[in-house]
Amino acid sequence: KHRLSKRQFLALVLLMVGTILTQLSEMSRSDISGGNAVYGGLLVLAGAALTALPNVYYEKVLKTEGHNLWSKNIQLSFWIWFWLVVIK
């Protein structure tokens, strides 16, 4: 298993604190403009998760021995295009 170093852990904590502070400042502005900062923050987190998952999967595919890289690329491209067509 891979463990985070102290420096990497501190970087993640700073990133989360910065994101929380930004959302809190947006919440005070959203009262004036009528927006919903909490909903926007949740959408940002969902978007980040959905963006990260394919990248993690692709890195796993690249590091796995014995798989044909071309077939995995075609398979991954198919699913990307499939979901793009479904969304539109």
Side-chain angles (χ1 to χ4, degrees):
K1 289 186 175 184
H2 177 72
R3 296 190 144 242
L4 295 176
S5 69
K6 290 180 183 178
R7 188 175 191 180
Q8 290 171 327
F9 185 75
L10 179 63
L12 283 174
V13 169
L14 288 175
L15 181 64
M16 287 188 288
V17 168
T19 303
I20 290 169
L21 290 175
T22 301
Q23 281 304 118
L24 289 175
S25 71
E26 288 297 320
M27 286 176 70
S28 64
R29 282 194 234 160
S30 69
D31 292 337
I32 297 168
S33 65
N36 189 345
V38 174
Y39 181 64
L42 290 175
L43 288 176
V44 167
L45 290 175
L50 289 174
T51 302
L53 289 175
N55 291 323
V56 170
Y57 172 75
Y58 190 64
E59 184 175 344
K60 179 186 171 207
V61 167
L62 290 177
K63 290 182 177 181
T64 304
E65 296 287 330
H67 290 288
N68 185 352
L69 190 59
W70 281 99
S71 66
K72 289 294 182 179
N73 274 335
I74 292 170
Q75 181 183 12
L76 187 62
S77 298
F78 167 77
W79 284 111
I80 290 170
W81 281 104
F82 174 77
W83 286 111
L84 286 173
V85 169
V86 168
I87 290 172
K88 295 224 177 203

